[in-house]
Amino acid sequence: MNHLMRSSADEGSADKRVLSALRRMVIDGTLSEGTKISEVIAAEMFGVSRTPARLALRALEVEGLIRKREGRGFTVQEFNLGDIKKAYEVRGVLEGLSAGTMAKTGISETADARLQEAVDAMAIALDADMDPSGKALDYQDGNVAFHETIMKDCGNPYVAFTFGRMETLPMIKLGTVVFNEENCEADLMRLRLGNMQHKLILDAIRNRDPQRAESMMREHANQTLVYTDLFSAPR
């Protein structure tokens, strides 16, 4: 892993790579509940400077996977996979509502352009000549933009307000991508399927079809539970 980190990540994307790897390690139990992690430890693990390590740890804290210790460093949080599944169901309802609302009220030119740009960026990332983990990281940037644009610009500010109350639960943040390098071909196929769904959701919104937009977004929002083994790993 150190070789991969040094050879394929520049300083600007190193924090994303550290974040992706640490997220997976927490989810699959490699870093178990109560494990202590710090900038120094993370930097040594992945052969990066302390700056990307610090940024990655802060992002994990926002995602609810680690918590700040008194003094320095962080501790891996305890989380209940059953509760996360329930939270995903709620997120799916809210994302579906946001897509349906945007289809019903009409999409602005600005939001339309951002969504198309996000879809195109994800397609480019998946076809890029780079290692699979790099593709997944670039894909995530577009994925976050796509989901956040629909929720924030749907025309009902209370949808995003409600989601904000649960956003810090583990793995619930919009657009989060968990990528398994050991199963990279299957995971890349999952991401391609996800972007096909993005295109169909955008088409439903543009065609003012709220029922189709909502149902498709709800299914898409729950893909992590359906197409990955995140929640089958023993804890």
Side-chain angles (χ1 to χ4, degrees):
M1 184 178 294
N2 286 355
H3 172 71
L4 173 64
M5 193 64 62
R6 292 190 187 98
S7 62
S8 63
D10 57 29
E11 193 69 15
S13 63
D15 59 307
K16 295 179 182 179
R17 292 180 176 273
V18 174
L19 171 60
S20 179
L22 286 176
R23 183 191 291 125
R24 182 73 202 187
M25 292 171 74
V26 171
I27 293 297
D28 68 15
T30 302
L31 293 177
S32 59
E33 171 197 343
T35 300
K36 296 179 180 179
I37 186 79
S38 66
E39 293 176 23
V40 174
I41 293 173
E44 291 178 352
M45 286 174 64
F46 300 105
V48 299
S49 70
R50 292 179 60 173
T51 297
R54 179 170 64 253
L55 293 173
L57 291 174
R58 286 178 178 174
L60 278 185
E61 183 183 19
V62 171
E63 292 180 9
L65 293 177
I66 61 176
R67 67 175 184 274
K68 193 78 171 66
R69 296 203 316 264
E70 291 187 11
R72 296 183 177 181
F74 298 83
T75 301
V76 175
Q77 280 275 51
E78 174 186 9
F79 56 91
N80 183 291
L81 296 180
D83 287 343
I84 293 177
K85 288 183 180 181
K86 293 175 183 177
Y88 259 94
E89 292 175 356
V90 175
R91 191 187 81 169
V93 171
L94 292 174
E95 287 208 82
L97 176 59
S98 67
T101 300
M102 180 176 275
K104 181 169 61 177
T105 60
I107 184 173
S108 69
E109 290 185 7
T110 301
D112 190 303
R114 283 204 299 265
L115 291 175
Q116 186 63 58
E117 182 180 358
V119 168
D120 292 343
M122 284 182 277
I124 291 171
L126 291 172
D127 291 336
D129 183 17
M130 65 174 74
D131 62 89
S133 62
K135 293 183 179 185
L137 290 172
D138 286 352
Y139 179 97
Q140 177 168 280
D141 290 338
N143 200 41
V144 170
F146 184 90
H147 287 268
E148 287 189 347
T149 296
I150 292 179
M151 182 167 286
K152 293 178 179 178
D153 295 345
C154 70
N156 184 345
Y158 292 102
V159 179
F161 172 81
T162 302
F163 178 73
R165 305 297 295 270
M166 59 182 289
E167 190 172 17
T168 57
L169 294 174
M171 298 308 302
I172 298 302
K173 189 172 177 62
L174 292 176
T176 297
V177 173
V178 178
F179 187 78
N180 185 358
E181 292 184 19
E182 296 179 358
N183 196 31
C184 63
E185 290 303 320
D187 267 13
L188 286 175
M189 184 179 299
R190 174 173 60 86
L191 297 185
R192 292 184 189 280
L193 172 61
N195 205 32
M196 289 176 60
Q197 291 174 327
H198 291 147
K199 294 176 183 179
L200 294 173
I201 292 166
L202 180 54
D203 179 71
I205 291 173
R206 285 170 169 167
N207 285 289
R208 306 294 291 270
D209 189 341
Q211 184 175 358
R212 185 163 69 101
E214 179 168 357
S215 62
M216 293 185 66
M217 178 61 96
R218 284 187 67 169
E219 164 145 5
H220 173 71
N222 290 310
Q223 293 305 290
T224 301
L225 301 180
V226 177
Y227 291 106
T228 75
D229 62 349
L230 284 181
F231 303 102
S232 63
R235 296 288 298 175

